[in-house]
Coordinates of all heavy atoms in Angstrom, one line a residue:
D155 N 5.1 7.0 3.6 CA 6.2 7.3 2.8 C 6.5 6.2 1.8 O 6.0 5.1 2.0 CB 7.5 7.5 3.7 CG 8.6 8.3 3.1 OD1 8.5 8.8 1.9 OD2 9.6 8.5 3.8
A156 N 7.1 6.5 0.7 CA 7.4 5.6 -0.3 C 8.7 6.1 -1.1 O 8.9 7.3 -1.2 CB 6.3 5.4 -1.3
N157 N 9.4 5.1 -1.7 CA 10.6 5.5 -2.4 C 10.3 5.5 -3.9 O 9.2 5.2 -4.4 CB 11.8 4.6 -2.0 CG 11.7 3.2 -2.5 OD1 10.7 2.8 -3.1 ND2 12.7 2.4 -2.3
K158 N 11.4 5.9 -4.7 CA 11.2 5.9 -6.1 C 10.9 4.6 -6.8 O 10.1 4.5 -7.7 CB 12.5 6.5 -6.8 CG 12.8 7.9 -6.4 CD 14.2 8.3 -7.0 CE 14.6 9.7 -6.5 NZ 16.0 10.0 -7.0
A159 N 11.5 3.5 -6.3 CA 11.3 2.2 -6.8 C 9.8 1.8 -6.6 O 9.2 1.1 -7.4 CB 12.2 1.2 -6.2
Y160 N 9.2 2.2 -5.5 CA 7.8 1.9 -5.2 C 7.0 2.6 -6.3 O 6.1 1.9 -6.9 CB 7.4 2.5 -3.8 CG 6.0 2.5 -3.5 CD1 5.5 1.5 -2.7 CD2 5.1 3.5 -3.8 CE1 4.2 1.4 -2.3 CE2 3.8 3.5 -3.5 CZ 3.3 2.4 -2.7 OH 2.0 2.4 -2.3
E161 N 7.3 3.8 -6.6 CA 6.6 4.5 -7.7 C 6.7 3.8 -9.0 O 5.7 3.6 -9.7 CB 7.1 5.9 -7.9 CG 6.8 6.8 -6.7 CD 7.5 8.2 -6.9 OE1 8.7 8.3 -6.9 OE2 6.7 9.2 -7.0
K162 N 7.9 3.4 -9.4 CA 8.1 2.7 -10.6 C 7.5 1.4 -10.7 O 6.8 1.0 -11.7 CB 9.7 2.6 -10.8 CG 10.0 1.9 -12.2 CD 11.5 1.8 -12.3 CE 11.9 1.1 -13.6 NZ 13.3 0.9 -13.8
L163 N 7.6 0.6 -9.6 CA 7.0 -0.8 -9.6 C 5.5 -0.8 -9.6 O 4.9 -1.7 -10.2 CB 7.6 -1.6 -8.5 CG 9.1 -1.9 -8.5 CD1 9.6 -2.5 -7.2 CD2 9.3 -3.0 -9.6
L164 N 4.9 0.2 -9.0 CA 3.4 0.2 -8.9 C 2.8 1.1 -9.9 O 1.6 1.2 -10.0 CB 3.0 0.6 -7.5 CG 3.5 -0.4 -6.4 CD1 2.9 0.0 -5.0 CD2 3.1 -1.9 -6.7
G165 N 3.6 2.0 -10.5 CA 3.1 2.9 -11.6 C 2.3 4.0 -11.0 O 1.3 4.4 -11.6
V166 N 2.7 4.5 -9.8 CA 2.0 5.6 -9.2 C 3.1 6.6 -8.7 O 4.2 6.3 -8.5 CB 1.2 5.2 -7.9 CG1 0.1 4.2 -8.3 CG2 2.1 4.6 -6.9
S167 N 2.7 7.9 -8.6 CA 3.6 8.8 -8.0 C 3.3 8.9 -6.5 O 2.1 8.7 -6.1 CB 3.4 10.2 -8.6 OG 2.2 10.8 -8.1
K168 N 4.3 9.0 -5.7 CA 4.1 9.0 -4.3 C 3.2 10.2 -3.8 O 2.5 10.1 -2.8 CB 5.4 8.9 -3.5 CG 6.3 10.1 -3.5 CD 7.5 9.7 -2.7 CE 8.4 10.9 -2.4 NZ 9.5 10.5 -1.6
E169 N 3.2 11.3 -4.6 CA 2.4 12.4 -4.2 C 0.9 12.0 -4.3 O 0.1 12.6 -3.6 CB 2.7 13.6 -5.2 CG 4.0 14.3 -4.9 CD 5.2 13.6 -5.5 OE1 5.0 12.7 -6.4 OE2 6.3 13.8 -5.0
T170 N 0.6 11.0 -5.1 CA -0.9 10.6 -5.2 C -1.3 9.7 -4.1 O -2.5 9.4 -3.9 CB -1.2 10.0 -6.6 OG1 -0.4 8.8 -6.7 CG2 -0.9 11.0 -7.7
V171 N -0.3 9.1 -3.4 CA -0.7 8.1 -2.4 C -0.3 8.5 -0.9 O -1.0 8.0 0.0 CB 0.0 6.7 -2.7 CG1 -0.6 6.1 -3.9 CG2 1.5 6.7 -2.7
I172 N 0.7 9.3 -0.8 CA 1.1 9.7 0.6 C 0.0 10.5 1.3 O -0.6 11.4 0.8 CB 2.4 10.6 0.6 CG1 3.5 9.7 -0.1 CG2 2.7 11.1 1.9 CD1 4.7 9.5 0.6
G173 N -0.3 10.0 2.5 CA -1.4 10.6 3.3 C -2.8 10.2 3.0 O -3.8 10.6 3.6
K174 N -2.9 9.3 2.0 CA -4.2 8.8 1.6 C -4.4 7.3 2.0 O -3.4 6.6 2.1 CB -4.4 8.9 0.1 CG -4.4 10.4 -0.3 CD -4.8 10.6 -1.7 CE -4.9 12.1 -2.0 NZ -4.2 12.4 -3.2
K175 N -5.7 6.9 2.1 CA -6.0 5.5 2.4 C -5.8 4.8 1.1 O -6.1 5.3 0.0 CB -7.4 5.4 2.9 CG -7.6 6.0 4.3 CD -9.0 5.8 4.8 CE -9.1 6.3 6.2 NZ -10.5 6.2 6.7
A176 N -5.4 3.5 1.2 CA -5.2 2.7 0.0 C -6.4 2.5 -0.8 O -6.3 2.6 -2.1 CB -4.7 1.3 0.5
Y177 N -7.6 2.4 -0.2 CA -8.8 2.2 -1.1 C -9.2 3.5 -1.8 O -10.0 3.4 -2.7 CB -9.9 1.6 -0.2 CG -9.8 0.1 0.0 CD1 -9.7 -0.4 1.3 CD2 -9.8 -0.7 -1.1 CE1 -9.6 -1.8 1.4 CE2 -9.7 -2.1 -0.9 CZ -9.6 -2.6 0.4 OH -9.5 -4.0 0.5
E178 N -8.7 4.6 -1.4 CA -8.9 5.9 -2.1 C -8.1 5.8 -3.4 O -8.6 6.4 -4.4 CB -8.4 7.1 -1.3 CG -9.3 7.4 -0.1 CD -8.7 8.6 0.6 OE1 -8.6 9.7 0.0 OE2 -8.3 8.4 1.8
T179 N -6.9 5.3 -3.4 CA -6.1 5.3 -4.6 C -6.1 4.0 -5.4 O -5.8 4.0 -6.6 CB -4.6 5.6 -4.2 OG1 -4.2 4.6 -3.3 CG2 -4.5 7.0 -3.5
V180 N -6.4 2.9 -4.7 CA -6.5 1.6 -5.4 C -7.8 0.9 -4.9 O -7.8 0.0 -4.0 CB -5.3 0.7 -5.0 CG1 -5.3 -0.6 -5.8 CG2 -4.0 1.4 -5.2
P181 N -9.0 1.3 -5.5 CA -10.2 0.7 -5.0 C -10.3 -0.8 -5.2 O -11.0 -1.5 -4.4 CB -11.3 1.4 -5.9 CG -10.6 2.6 -6.4 CD -9.1 2.3 -6.5
S182 N -9.5 -1.4 -6.1 CA -9.6 -2.8 -6.3 C -8.5 -3.6 -5.6 O -8.1 -4.7 -5.9 CB -9.5 -3.1 -7.8 OG -8.3 -2.6 -8.3
L183 N -8.0 -3.0 -4.5 CA -6.9 -3.6 -3.7 C -7.3 -5.0 -3.2 O -8.4 -5.1 -2.7 CB -6.5 -2.7 -2.5 CG -5.4 -3.2 -1.6 CD1 -4.1 -3.1 -2.3 CD2 -5.4 -2.4 -0.3
D184 N -6.5 -6.0 -3.4 CA -6.8 -7.3 -2.9 C -6.8 -7.3 -1.3 O -5.9 -6.8 -0.7 CB -5.7 -8.3 -3.4 CG -5.7 -8.5 -4.9 OD1 -6.8 -8.4 -5.4 OD2 -4.6 -8.7 -5.4
R185 N -7.8 -8.0 -0.8 CA -7.9 -8.1 0.7 C -6.7 -8.8 1.3 O -6.3 -8.5 2.5 CB -9.2 -8.9 1.0 CG -9.4 -9.2 2.4 CD -9.8 -8.0 3.2 NE -9.5 -8.2 4.6 CZ -9.7 -7.4 5.5 NH1 -10.2 -6.2 5.3 NH2 -9.3 -7.6 6.8
D186 N -6.0 -9.7 0.6 CA -4.8 -10.4 1.1 C -3.8 -9.4 1.6 O -3.1 -9.7 2.6 CB -4.2 -11.3 0.1 CG -5.1 -12.4 -0.3 OD1 -6.1 -12.7 0.4 OD2 -4.8 -13.1 -1.3
W187 N -3.6 -8.3 0.9 CA -2.6 -7.3 1.4 C -3.0 -6.7 2.7 O -2.1 -6.6 3.6 CB -2.5 -6.1 0.3 CG -1.9 -6.6 -1.0 CD1 -2.6 -6.8 -2.1 CD2 -0.6 -7.0 -1.3 NE1 -1.8 -7.3 -3.1 CE2 -0.5 -7.4 -2.6 CE3 0.6 -7.0 -0.5 CZ2 0.7 -7.8 -3.2 CZ3 1.8 -7.5 -1.1 CH2 1.8 -7.9 -2.4
L188 N -4.2 -6.4 3.0 CA -4.6 -5.9 4.3 C -4.4 -6.9 5.4 O -4.0 -6.6 6.5 CB -6.1 -5.5 4.3 CG -6.4 -4.2 3.5 CD1 -7.9 -4.0 3.5 CD2 -5.7 -3.0 4.1
D189 N -4.7 -8.2 5.1 CA -4.5 -9.3 6.1 C -3.0 -9.4 6.4 O -2.7 -9.5 7.6 CB -5.1 -10.6 5.5 CG -6.6 -10.6 5.4 OD1 -7.2 -9.8 6.0 OD2 -7.1 -11.4 4.6
I190 N -2.2 -9.4 5.4 CA -0.7 -9.5 5.7 C -0.2 -8.3 6.5 O 0.4 -8.4 7.5 CB 0.1 -9.6 4.4 CG1 -0.2 -10.9 3.7 CG2 1.6 -9.4 4.6 CD1 0.3 -11.0 2.2
F191 N -0.5 -7.1 6.0 CA 0.0 -5.9 6.6 C -0.6 -5.7 8.0 O 0.1 -5.3 8.9 CB -0.3 -4.6 5.8 CG 0.4 -4.6 4.4 CD1 0.0 -3.6 3.5 CD2 1.3 -5.5 4.1 CE1 0.7 -3.5 2.3 CE2 2.0 -5.4 2.8 CZ 1.6 -4.4 2.0
G192 N -1.9 -6.0 8.2 CA -2.5 -5.9 9.5 C -1.9 -6.8 10.5 O -1.7 -6.4 11.7
R193 N -1.7 -8.0 10.1 CA -1.1 -9.0 11.0 C 0.3 -8.6 11.5 O 0.6 -8.6 12.7 CB -1.1 -10.4 10.4 CG -0.5 -11.5 11.3 CD -0.6 -12.9 10.7 NE 0.0 -13.0 9.4 CZ -0.7 -13.4 8.3 NH1 -2.0 -13.6 8.4 NH2 -0.1 -13.5 7.1
V194 N 1.1 -8.1 10.5 CA 2.4 -7.7 10.9 C 2.4 -6.5 11.8 O 3.1 -6.4 12.8 CB 3.2 -7.3 9.6 CG1 4.5 -6.6 9.9 CG2 3.5 -8.6 8.8
A195 N 1.5 -5.5 11.5 CA 1.5 -4.3 12.3 C 1.0 -4.6 13.7 O 1.4 -3.9 14.7 CB 0.5 -3.3 11.7
L196 N 0.2 -5.6 13.9 CA -0.3 -6.0 15.2 C 0.7 -6.9 16.0 O 0.9 -6.7 17.2 CB -1.6 -6.7 15.2 CG -2.9 -5.9 14.9 CD1 -4.1 -6.8 14.7 CD2 -3.1 -4.9 16.0
T197 N 1.3 -7.8 15.3 CA 2.1 -8.8 16.0 C 3.6 -8.5 16.1 O 4.3 -9.0 16.9 CB 2.0 -10.2 15.3 OG1 2.6 -10.2 14.0 CG2 0.5 -10.7 15.3
G198 N 4.0 -7.8 15.1 CA 5.5 -7.5 15.0 C 6.3 -8.5 14.3 O 7.5 -8.4 14.2
E199 N 5.6 -9.6 13.8 CA 6.3 -10.7 13.1 C 6.8 -10.1 11.8 O 6.2 -9.3 11.2 CB 5.4 -11.9 12.9 CG 4.4 -11.7 11.8 CD 3.5 -12.9 11.5 OE1 4.0 -13.8 10.8 OE2 2.4 -13.0 12.0

């Protein structure tokens, strides 16, 4: 899920990203984002 501000700040419509993997929609995604998000999802910090 994503809100309107997400769409505006990232320049994407949520219809193009919802239900899709990040690398499908942003092939040049920085690895740092995965490290941050993955750590939070695992640890709860």
Side-chain angles (χ1 to χ4, degrees):
D155 203 357
N157 69 357
K158 292 176 189 176
Y160 175 95
E161 293 177 294
K162 182 179 178 184
L163 292 168
L164 299 184
V166 298
S167 75
K168 69 182 190 177
E169 288 77 21
T170 63
V171 296
I172 300 234
K174 296 193 176 127
K175 291 182 179 177
Y177 280 120
E178 290 177 61
T179 59
V180 186
S182 59
L183 180 71
D184 295 325
R185 175 73 205 178
D186 292 349
W187 294 105
L188 288 177
D189 294 338
I190 292 168
F191 294 174
R193 181 173 53 244
V194 169
L196 284 174
T197 67
E199 73 176 282

